[in-house]
Amino acid sequence: MKLNEKQQEVRKNISKLNTAITTAIDEICKENNYQITYAEINSALTDTLRSNLGYELREMWQTHED
């Protein structure tokens, strides 16, 4: 796969993830009569990012140790 094709695929995946995240936030907010605060949304996003970063770091360490 050429680099340009790979970049397009990555951009497509990022776009899909952004749409899915926004849709999920909208649905949860609607279910809660839009009483969800930005702090709650940001906390959930931060927790997810922290978890993903931890996973990524463990993978890197494992690869480096092998």
Side-chain angles (χ1 to χ4, degrees):
M1 182 180 289
K2 295 179 185 176
L3 181 59
N4 195 26
E5 291 172 353
K6 181 65 176 169
Q7 289 172 330
Q8 288 176 352
E9 187 66 29
V10 168
R11 286 185 190 121
K12 211 183 311 182
N13 288 337
I14 290 170
S15 179
K16 287 178 185 178
L17 285 164
N18 284 333
T19 300
I21 291 166
T22 301
T23 299
I25 290 169
D26 290 345
E27 288 176 9
I28 296 295
C29 288
K30 186 175 181 179
E31 288 173 7
N32 288 278
N33 296 319
Y34 300 96
Q35 298 299 308
I36 301 289
T37 65
Y38 286 111
E40 291 169 297
I41 293 168
N42 291 337
S43 178
L45 291 171
T46 302
D47 289 347
T48 301
L49 288 171
R50 187 178 307 121
S51 175
N52 286 343
L53 178 59
Y55 176 80
E56 187 174 7
L57 286 172
R58 283 190 300 277
E59 256 191 5
M60 285 187 340
W61 291 330
Q62 185 66 30
T63 303
H64 182 67
E65 291 174 357
D66 290 341

